[in-house]
Amino acid sequence: MRLQKIKSGSDRFDATVRSRLAALRAAGSTRLGTVLRDAVARRDAATRLVLVISDGEPHDIDAHEPDYLVADAQHAVRQAAREGLVMACLVLDPAGARTAARIFGPHRVGVLQALGHLPRTLRRITAR
């Protein structure tokens, strides 16, 4: 499993973070529930938010039932919320927004239409 940290809460949104975002490429499979649980396990005490950047569609080469993958990810999001951790998703492909909303909740999902919309979209999906 590969979990790629782009920005920590204490990091500035600077050229380094922007270059990490620009370098992201889709690859492999995404057992999203597992990744979310791993993010919860790895967080430090100051972490209150996990932002997932995704196409919005969980996929795994070993699981061929999309409903199972969605339910597993929903369960991970609910468990994180019980532990005081907010999970939100920035969707890069509008086709996956509906599925992402099922997982994270409609108020925690934003579709990035243009890079200039990033600050407004992040404020909306991460507001308490």
Side-chain angles (χ1 to χ4, degrees):
M1 175 176 49
R2 183 184 72 149
L3 179 64
Q4 189 172 354
K5 186 182 279 190
I6 304 301
K7 180 186 176 302
S8 292
S10 61
D11 295 343
R12 298 181 60 86
F13 190 68
D14 58 13
T16 301
V17 171
R18 285 184 181 91
S19 68
R20 289 180 195 148
L21 279 171
L24 289 175
R25 299 292 178 259
S29 62
T30 308
R31 178 75 54 100
L32 187 57
T34 301
V35 171
L36 297 176
R37 282 186 284 280
D38 190 58
V40 171
R42 291 179 188 226
R43 75 179 175 141
D44 59 29
T47 300
R48 298 285 177 242
L49 169 74
V50 171
L51 177 66
V52 176
I53 301 171
S54 175
D55 64 1
E57 295 288 342
H59 172 77
D60 190 281
I61 58 173
D62 296 334
H64 303 288
E65 292 185 41
D67 288 338
Y68 167 78
L69 295 172
V70 169
D72 182 50
Q74 287 171 327
H75 186 266
V77 169
R78 285 192 301 270
Q79 180 62 38
R82 284 191 290 274
E83 295 183 28
L85 185 63
V86 172
M87 293 199 167
C89 183
L90 184 63
V91 178
L92 303 179
D93 182 354
R98 178 175 284 152
T99 302
R102 287 179 55 205
I103 295 168
F104 295 92
H107 302 296
R108 294 288 182 208
V109 173
V111 178
L112 187 60
Q113 300 289 342
L115 192 55
H117 298 160
L118 181 62
R120 180 180 55 206
T121 303
L122 288 177
R123 279 191 302 273
R124 184 182 61 75
I125 68 175
T126 61
R128 293 254 172 191

